[in-house]
Amino acid sequence: MSSPPFSCRFRRWVVVWLVILASLAGASVAQVGRHGLAKKTRLREEVRQMFYHAYDNYLIHAFPHDELKPLTKSFTDSLSELGNLKLEHLPENYGGSALTLIESLSSLVVLGNYTEFERAILWLGKHIDFDVDARISLFECNIRVLGGLVSAHILATDYMDKLVQRNYNNQLLHLAVDLGERLLPAFDTPTGLPYAWINLKHGVMENETTETSTSGCGSLILEMGTLSRLTGDSRYEAAALRALRKLWSMRSSLNLVGTTLDVLTGEWIEYSTGIGAGVDSFYEYLLKAHILFGREELWGMFLSAYVAAQKYHEADMRTGKATYWQLTSLQAFWPGVQASKMALDLLTHDLLLLYRKQVLIGDVAAANSTHREFFHVWEKFGVLPERYLLDRDMLHPTEKYYPLRPELAESTFYLYQATKDPWYIEVGETILRSLNSYTKVDGGYASVKDVSSMQLEDHQHSFFLAEMCKYLYLLFDDSFMADRNYIFTTEGHPLPVRSAWHEWLPEIYLPTELAPAKVKYLSKIAVCFMHDISINFSNFLVVDLLTKIS
C-alpha cells in the first residue's frame, strides 16, 4: 500500500504535536496551580501565627481590659479614648469592656477556631456590662462594639453545630440591644444628626460639643440596621437612616459633602471634602447598606457621591477647587470600594441592564491604579504613613506614624476577589513580611510612631485583630465565604446578605424582556448573587444563568 501524501502526514504530525503541547501546557498550568495553592496555604498559616501572637499576648497581658500595650506588656482601657484626641472627660473608674476580645470574635470564626469563639462569647455574656460612667465616641463604639456583637451573634447562631457546649442563648444579642438603647439618645437632636459623644450611663452630657464628622454620623446604618433586623425594633435603623438622609440633603450642588458639621443647626463647619479621615466610611456605608438592605435610595446616593468623589478628589465641597494632593492611610480603603462597585456593575450591566455612565474597565483600571499608588508608598517606607504629601514627595512633618491600619490589606483582598490576579497575593505577602519585620515584638504587634526611623509605639489596636489579620487570612484562604454571602463593616465584621432583609428587588434591576414567571426566579438569584461584593465574578457565567432561567 502506498504511503499517504506528504501533506496528510504533515497534518497528522501537527495534530500529534498540538496534542502533546496541549498536554504539556495543561500539566504546566496544573503545576503552577499547585504551586500557587501551596504558597497561599503557607502564607495563610503565617497569618494564623500572626493572629495568635497578637491574640494570646492580649489575653495574657491585657484581658479583660480594652487593648494591649505590647512593648510594656500591659493594657489600656481605651474605649473612652478612641477619637478623643484631647483626652477630655476620661472616666475615673472604667475598667475596660474587653474591646479586643469583642473585635476578635469574627476573626476566630474565620480562622475556624470555634472552641475559642464559644469560650469567648460565653464569657462576654456573663461578664460585660455597659452600665458604666464612660463618655465614648458614638462612631467608634458603633463600629467596634455594636458591630462586633451583632456579627458574632449571627455567627454563633449560624455555626451552632460547630459549638461544643451549644448553650448560646442570644447573650450577645442581649448585650447589643442594651448598648443600642444607650446609643439612641445621641440622635435626639432637631436635625436627627447624632452627637459625636455620649455617656453610656447618663446619655448626652451637659454642654456636650455639637460638632461631628460626616463619617461619624453617616456610618451607623449597617450595625444599627442589622440590630433592627435581628430584633424587629425599627428604631435603631430609623435613627441611622434619618441621619444619613439629612446628611445627604446637605450636599453641595456638586454632590460633595464636607468633613465636619453642627448637629443642632445642620450647618457645615469644615467645607473640605475627600475620601480620607472624617468622610471615608460614609461612601462605604452607602454602598454596603444598599447591598445588605436593598434600599434603592442608598444606591442612588452612592452613585452620585462616587462620581463626584472620582471627579474632584480632595476639594472644597462648594467650588470643587482642589485643596490637597496627598495620600493618607485611611484613603487606602478606596480601591476596595472601586472594586466592589466594579463587581456590582459587572452583574448589573451584563445581567440586569442597569444604566451606567462609566465603562466597566474604567473601574477596574481606577481601582488597580489607586491601589498601586498606595502600595508604592508602602514599599518606599516599609509600611504606610498616616499622611504622604504627593506634591512635595515627602512625609507629612507631624503625621509620620502607622497605627497598624488595615485599609491597604482590605483593598488588596477585594481586588484579588474581583480579578484573581496573583499579583495581589504578592502584595499581601509583602504586607505580611513588613508587619513581621517592623512591628512584631515579644509582647504582640506595636504601632509605628515614625515610619522614617521605625520607632515603635506601645499600642496594639483592636482593629489589628478585627481587620488586618482577617483580610490577610481571607486573601490567602477564602473558604469562610464558600456558599455564603457577606459584606464586611468598616471594622471588618461580617454581616450575611439575606433575601429576607431586603425590602424589595428594585424595579430598575429587572430586565423588561423576562416573563413574570422568570422574574420571580431571577429575583431570588439577584438577591443571592448580585449583592455579594466578595464573589469571584470571573467564574460567574451570565450566559449560563440566563440559560437556566429560560
Side-chain angles (χ1 to χ4, degrees), residues 135 138-139 183-198 204-205 207-220 239 242-244 246-247 249-250 259-270 278:
R135 176 181 179 264
L138 174 68
F139 170 74
L183 299 182
L184 278 180
F187 294 86
D188 187 15
T189 65
T191 61
L193 298 168
Y195 283 94
W197 300 92
I198 189 165
V204 178
M205 298 175 62
N207 298 320
E208 182 60 83
T209 178
T210 60
E211 182 176 352
T212 191
S213 67
T214 295
S215 56
C217 59
S219 309
L220 307 167
R242 182 189 177 202
L244 197 55
K246 174 60 179 179
L247 188 62
S249 74
M250 295 166 58
T259 305
T260 60
L261 56 141
D262 189 293
V263 302
L264 296 184
T265 65
E267 299 293 332
W268 290 108
I269 298 174
E270 175 57 57

Side-chain angles (χ1 to χ4, degrees), residues 434-445:
S434 295
L435 292 171
N436 281 326
S437 296
Y438 299 120
T439 71
K440 184 179 182 181
V441 296
D442 185 57
Y445 284 83

Side-chain angles (χ1 to χ4, degrees), residues 133-196:
D133 186 7
R135 176 181 179 264
I136 53 89
S137 162
L138 174 68
F139 170 74
E140 295 288 356
C141 191
N142 174 74
I143 65 172
R144 298 196 193 207
V145 185
L146 184 60
L149 291 173
V150 295
S151 173
H153 163 72
I154 294 171
L155 292 173
T157 55
D158 286 352
Y159 287 89
M160 187 70 75
D161 62 326
K162 302 284 188 179
L163 305 183
V164 177
Q165 300 182 46
R166 299 188 182 183
N167 58 353
Y168 177 72
N169 297 306
N170 301 327
Q171 294 96 317
L172 297 186
L173 182 58
H174 296 323
L175 284 174
V177 170
D178 177 56
L179 181 59
E181 289 295 321
R182 297 175 187 277
L183 299 182
L184 278 180
F187 294 86
D188 187 15
T189 65
T191 61
L193 298 168
Y195 283 94

Side-chain angles (χ1 to χ4, degrees), residues 294-314:
R295 286 189 176 274
E296 174 64 12
E297 64 174 312
L298 299 182
W299 170 253
M301 291 179 190
F302 169 75
L303 190 62
S304 298
Y306 174 81
V307 171
Q310 284 288 88
K311 180 177 181 180
Y312 295 104
H313 302 289
E314 299 205 9

